[in-house]
Amino acid sequence: MLEIKDLSISVENTPIIKNLSLTVRRGEIHAIMGPNGAGKSTLARSIMGYPGYEVNQGSVLLDDKDMTELEPEERATSGLFVSFQYPVEIPGVNNAEFLRMALNAKRNSQGLEELDPLDFDDLLTQKMDALHIDRDFKNRGLNEGFSGGEKKRNEILQMAVLDPKFAILDETDSGLDIDALRIVSSGVNQLANEQNGLILITHYQRLLNHIQPDHVHVLLDGEIVKTGGKELALELEEKGYDWLKQPSHS
Amino acid sequence: MSSTTDETFRGQEYAYGFQTDIESETLPKGLNEEIIRALSSKKKEPEWMLQFRLDAFRRWQQMEEPDWAHVHHPPIDYQDITYYSAPKKKPVLDSLEDADPELLRTFEKLGIPLREQKRLANVAVDAVFDSVSIATTHKKQLLEHGVIFCSFSEALIDYPELVQQYLGSVVPTNDNYFAALNSAVFSDGSFVYVPPGIRCPLELSTYFRINNEESGQFERTLIVCAEESYVSYLEGCTAPMFDSNQLHAAVVELVALDKAEIKYSTVQNWYAGDPETGKGGVYNFVTKRGKCAGEYSKISWTQVETGSAITWKYPSCILVGDNSVGEFYSVALTNGHMQADTGTKMIHIGENTSSTIISKGISADRSSNSYRGLVKVNKGAKGARNFTQCDSMLVGDQCYANTFPYIESQNPSASIEHEASTSKISEDQLFYFQSRGVSIEDAIAAVVHGFCKEVFNHLPMEFAVEAQQLLSLKLEHSVG
């Protein structure tokens, strides 16, 4: 279970996330929707422990283990994963070698033996084929010269290899054409199961045509202002967000 | 050092910062003809060698210290330096029995075991401590192949003709201020001669250690590869941590005859001074030059520069022979208050000569890192080709990276390419690694390794691993 309890986050002294609480159980898919600037990406990155964000109060618990004070890498090896909206390019670092490093970091933390390059390559090939990802991804630099769509698919590949307990997908649909969206969504659907939980962060309802959420939350100005089922997404598509905006507290 | 805490802390930053307490024989400070004569007679040198030194000294006195490099330091008082310091009990005739055990322990601590049963199997080592060579391993085995590998002092006694023929033939005594100084006072170093048609069966290496706080180290290396021969040579260097600066002014000369190949690699890790205050550290003012004298000869420089308060060196190739090849692969890392002005010169004289320059500069903290390179194509160098790639990486936002490329071509058939880039390790890149479970240290190592891969590929295997670890270690505290 992933529990976000009463979380408040500031960035450069400006409060961005305000008293936010959210619980995701295994097997559940949650969608967080909201307009630009609502704090969606800040929420995603703060769950991962982005340095430079200030946690003013609250906590993030993964299976009752407090993540709030942990380094990002410790959160990752505990089973959290964020698919970034804009994955960075890291020239010269081999994509496959990076993935092996990441998986072995996780295996180390679990007291498992590291995978050697050959065994890892078998695993990677299998994951890539399942996700219909071109094998030439292995030999490229990490996100180096990748198109927007390729980067998103690479994020999903990382998720497949690392097999997290809870994953937050930050605008995984943005910048994708219809075909790429279908490929990425089917990848996500393959990976979603009863043992893990997903949070989809998105602007648009269209992703939710491909991945069915159990719960939809509306994030406005750093707060969850409404929660509903998947029909809420359709309502938002039709009405926009303005009707949910409350007059600011005085 | 002021306190134990201080010492422990600094010890972690620089693992080779210890000083060995050892009985030394030292000439008085200062530089004059008398000192040079004393030095020369102490080493029982032939008369021509003394004249070579005196001639260099007289020229040096006429010269001015250069100021064009992009580095700053207080004036050096050349009369306040000790030009000769040698351990009293050094081994004779290669028997380590008589050596001060402290000396052998020092090299063992540095990872350079000299005792027969412990020494490295596939690498022959010449160990230089302050002004003198302590021991050279695997000498006999090499001689069976006709390969001469010994200290410079021994070479002057055993092979004076060879030394006289080539000494100063690549770097003339009056080449530059520091080369002239070195020519006057050099105390030891390594000599290598590979006879025609021989591929040297071992990696050769010299390990330089400065121990004395007030002595400079002025070593001389001369490597001659006769027709169709090959040698791979590596040098490593460390020094204790002192609050004062030590001067290291070396000269390296390489000569490659027809179809000969010399591969020269350096992993330089002199003490760089206190990372916070910038106090202390070695001034590394070095002249390294190779002459591709014969046709189809090749000289390849690979350097990993990670230490020294100031680095000032331009390992160069003079491509005289037709179809000769010069290469320069460099990683220069600066952190703390280090300053590096380094690069190369490729002088194309023969026809169809080609050169490759790959330079990777990494600057962190408050350091300054400059690449300075000259590609010169003479009139007769028909069909000369050069490719230069010069990349800088910045870590943090208080460091500097500069590039000073000079291109002079007097032959219209020459082809010269120059590529350059500057990048930065960003917090977002590191966070990306972390978010996948990889620690900051491993992340930096991976990014830097990715950046330097092309150069590391040219180092002998075991040193490539060492160089990579060295870089990661140095950058550990520089990011975040």
Side-chain angles (χ1 to χ4, degrees):
Chain A
M1 188 162 66
L2 176 67
E3 288 171 278
I4 300 164
K5 284 185 174 170
D6 206 19
L7 189 68
S8 292
I9 302 286
S10 295
V11 181
E12 287 168 0
N13 295 323
T14 308
I16 305 289
I17 300 296
K18 300 157 188 167
N19 309 93
L20 187 143
S21 294
L22 178 66
T23 300
V24 181
R25 291 179 182 79
R26 293 189 186 216
E28 288 181 349
I29 299 179
H30 290 235
I32 296 179
M33 300 183 70
N36 283 331
K40 302 191 297 293
S41 288
T42 304
L43 177 63
R45 293 202 285 185
S46 69
I47 291 172
M48 210 66 224
Y50 189 69
Y53 286 178
E54 203 179 318
V55 179
N56 300 321
Q57 62 164 34
S59 55
V60 175
L61 303 178
L62 173 63
D63 295 336
D64 297 324
K65 186 176 162 196
D66 194 347
M67 299 277 116
T68 324
E69 296 295 322
L70 295 186
E71 293 295 324
E73 60 267 33
E74 295 167 313
R75 301 182 191 214
T77 52
S78 303
L80 285 178
F81 183 89
V82 171
S83 160
F84 294 102
Q85 186 179 1
Y86 302 110
V88 289
E89 298 195 13
I90 305 185
V93 174
N94 175 273
N95 206 31
E97 200 39 46
F98 170 76
L99 270 170
R100 193 169 78 90
M101 240 175 128
L103 181 62
N104 281 336
K106 182 180 168 184
R107 292 177 66 94
N108 272 329
S109 76
Q110 294 171 335
L112 295 172
E113 235 174 87
E114 295 197 352
L115 280 190
D116 65 39
L118 290 178
D119 288 341
F120 177 75
D121 190 63
D122 289 345
L123 174 88
L124 182 61
T125 308
Q126 180 205 328
K127 300 283 183 191
M128 289 176 98
D129 290 352
L131 294 169
H132 302 290
I133 285 175
D134 196 336
R135 290 191 188 176
D136 130 271
F137 266 43
K138 285 183 197 172
N139 304 319
R140 295 170 69 178
L142 177 50
N143 294 326
E144 189 179 357
F146 279 36
S147 70
E150 286 177 328
K151 284 182 184 169
K152 296 295 169 68
R153 281 156 73 181
N154 206 25
E155 295 286 286
I156 300 306
L157 174 63
Q158 293 180 11
M159 175 172 155
V161 169
L162 295 175
D163 188 23
K165 292 177 187 155
F166 287 91
I168 298 119
L169 308 185
D170 188 6
E171 306 232 358
T172 292
D173 53 331
S174 70
L176 297 187
D177 60 32
I178 291 292
D179 290 333
L181 179 65
R182 197 172 294 134
I183 294 170
V184 167
S185 317
S186 86
V188 174
N189 282 325
Q190 271 182 50
L191 298 176
N193 60 39
E194 288 307 307
Q195 294 309 309
N196 59 27
L198 278 182
I199 299 176
L200 306 172
I201 291 179
T202 181
H203 259 38
Y204 302 109
Q205 193 270 335
R206 64 171 194 168
L207 176 68
L208 307 181
N209 291 334
H210 298 274
I211 309 171
Q212 301 277 321
D214 304 298
H215 305 277
V216 174
H217 311 276
V218 180
L219 187 69
L220 270 185
D221 200 17
E223 293 173 86
I224 291 183
V225 294
K226 195 168 176 66
T227 292
K230 63 185 174 208
E231 67 290 343
L232 177 57
L234 293 168
E235 199 178 350
L236 292 169
E237 178 85 347
E238 196 183 314
K239 294 195 200 165
Y241 293 103
D242 279 349
W243 60 286
L244 292 166
K245 283 186 183 155
Q246 296 157 343
S248 55
H249 306 287
S250 49
Chain B
M1 231 164 278
S2 53
S3 70
T4 21
T5 351
D6 198 7
E7 200 165 348
T8 332
F9 173 68
R10 285 168 58 173
Q12 285 170 345
E13 302 274 313
Y14 185 71
Y16 311 101
F18 62 90
Q19 184 185 15
T20 308
D21 193 5
I22 205 159
E23 256 193 288
S24 306
E25 183 182 12
T26 306
L27 284 179
K29 275 184 185 178
L31 185 54
N32 50 51
E33 294 203 1
E34 221 171 297
I35 290 278
I36 293 172
R37 284 175 198 280
L39 178 80
S40 187
S41 88
K42 214 172 245 316
K43 303 178 81 67
K44 304 189 177 66
E45 289 177 351
E47 175 64 19
W48 64 265
M49 190 66 245
L50 174 64
Q51 291 311 321
F52 179 96
R53 290 178 182 281
L54 291 174
D55 174 57
F57 176 64
R58 287 165 197 151
R59 287 166 188 264
W60 178 74
Q61 283 180 306
Q62 309 298 316
M63 297 166 90
E64 302 242 335
E65 197 181 305
D67 60 0
W68 45 263
H70 197 77
V71 298
H72 306 279
H73 59 83
I76 298 168
D77 182 355
Y78 292 92
Q79 297 304 332
D80 195 35
I81 293 174
T82 303
Y83 289 86
Y84 184 83
S85 170
K88 260 196 184 148
K89 284 200 243 159
K90 81 177 197 94
V92 281
L93 299 170
D94 270 345
S95 141
L96 294 174
E97 309 276 298
D98 305 328
D100 192 324
E102 201 48 46
L103 202 56
L104 301 180
R105 261 200 294 278
T106 301
F107 279 98
E108 251 162 59
K109 238 165 132 178
L110 295 168
I112 320 285
L114 299 173
R115 286 195 182 92
E116 185 111 33
Q117 56 278 35
K118 288 186 180 172
R119 67 198 193 185
L120 309 166
N122 53 346
V123 183
V125 183
D126 183 21
V128 177
F129 190 84
D130 285 337
S131 304
V132 293
S133 167
I134 298 305
T136 311
T137 66
H138 297 283
K139 252 175 21 187
K140 271 193 208 128
Q141 191 189 342
L142 288 166
L143 263 180
E144 282 164 21
H145 294 84
V147 176
I148 301 171
F149 178 43
C150 63
S151 74
F152 210 96
S153 310
E154 283 173 81
L156 274 172
I157 291 164
D158 296 343
Y159 314 99
E161 296 85 12
L162 270 177
V163 177
Q164 192 173 11
Q165 185 181 349
Y166 291 107
L167 183 69
S169 70
V170 186
V171 180
T173 46
N174 62 341
D175 185 80
N176 68 70
Y177 189 78
F178 297 108
L181 177 63
N182 174 284
S183 301
V185 302
F186 74 84
S187 45
D188 217 334
S190 305
F191 175 74
V192 177
Y193 175 80
V194 189
I198 295 296
R199 220 185 139 78
C200 183
L202 296 176
E203 296 271 345
L204 304 187
S205 87
T206 301
Y207 194 90
F208 296 104
R209 174 76 178 168
I210 295 179
N211 190 60
N212 188 321
E213 175 161 12
E214 285 163 336
S215 76
Q217 193 173 50
F218 306 92
E219 86 274 1
R220 189 96 188 185
T221 303
L222 176 58
I223 301 177
V224 180
C225 259
E227 293 78 5
E228 298 185 43
S229 66
Y230 167 86
V231 73
S232 168
Y233 180 93
L234 185 121
E235 59 170 12
C237 354
T238 58
M241 300 186 293
F242 295 119
D243 285 344
S244 59
N245 299 101
Q246 288 80 43
L247 178 61
H248 173 252
V251 171
V252 176
E253 294 179 282
L254 313 181
V255 180
L257 303 183
D258 287 358
K259 295 181 187 159
E261 181 179 348
I262 302 176
K263 192 173 155 51
Y264 192 105
S265 316
T266 305
V267 175
Q268 184 264 107
N269 188 20
W270 294 119
Y271 177 52
D274 186 288
E276 298 299 322
T277 62
K279 229 176 165 191
V282 171
Y283 291 166
N284 190 33
F285 299 158
V286 170
T287 306
K288 289 183 167 172
R289 196 174 302 157
K291 189 193 217 169
C292 284
E295 55 175 25
Y296 294 99
S297 57
K298 179 176 174 184
I299 289 180
S300 178
W301 298 99
T302 304
Q303 61 170 19
V304 178
E305 301 285 318
T306 67
S308 298
I310 303 179
T311 297
W312 185 98
K313 65 179 269 201
Y314 314 90
S316 306
C317 297
I318 308 192
L319 305 168
V320 179
D322 291 347
N323 300 293
S324 60
V325 176
E327 293 175 338
F328 175 73
Y329 302 100
S330 169
V331 167
L333 170 111
T334 55
N335 64 351
H337 289 256
M338 286 163 66
Q339 307 173 60
D341 192 306
T342 181
T344 184
K345 286 188 275 186
M346 292 292 174
I347 314 292
H348 294 256
I349 295 170
E351 289 185 11
N352 297 314
T353 46
S354 72
S355 61
T356 304
I357 300 172
I358 309 282
S359 161
K360 307 277 180 177
I362 304 162
S363 9
D365 304 330
R366 292 160 182 277
S367 67
S368 150
N369 198 331
S370 304
Y371 167 80
R372 190 184 300 276
L374 168 69
V375 176
K376 188 173 175 189
V377 177
N378 281 11
K379 253 195 191 135
K382 214 162 62 186
R385 296 180 306 282
N386 164 265
F387 173 76
T388 300
Q389 188 187 329
C390 193
D391 300 320
S392 310
M393 179 178 269
L394 301 170
V395 183
D397 49 15
Q398 289 182 307
C399 49
Y400 299 89
N402 305 298
T403 306
F404 304 104
Y406 306 87
I407 296 171
E408 292 170 23
S409 177
Q410 296 169 341
N411 191 306
S413 67
S415 137
I416 299 172
E417 286 176 71
H418 183 101
E419 288 177 10
S421 77
T422 304
S423 56
K424 199 167 185 288
I425 298 188
S426 68
E427 208 168 63
D428 281 347
Q429 284 179 329
L430 295 179
F431 178 62
Y432 193 71
F433 275 92
Q434 287 182 286
S435 74
R436 299 300 181 249
V438 180
S439 68
I440 288 205
E441 285 76 16
D442 291 345
I444 294 170
V447 173
V448 168
H449 181 236
F451 181 69
C452 302
K453 207 162 25 182
E454 267 176 285
V455 173
F456 287 162
N457 285 345
H458 291 275
L459 281 176
M461 188 55 164
E462 51 273 64
F463 298 110
V465 175
E466 189 190 313
Q468 202 180 317
Q469 287 167 344
L470 193 59
L471 287 195
S472 314
L473 198 76
K474 294 245 162 184
L475 284 173
E476 220 160 74
H477 306 281
S478 298
V479 185

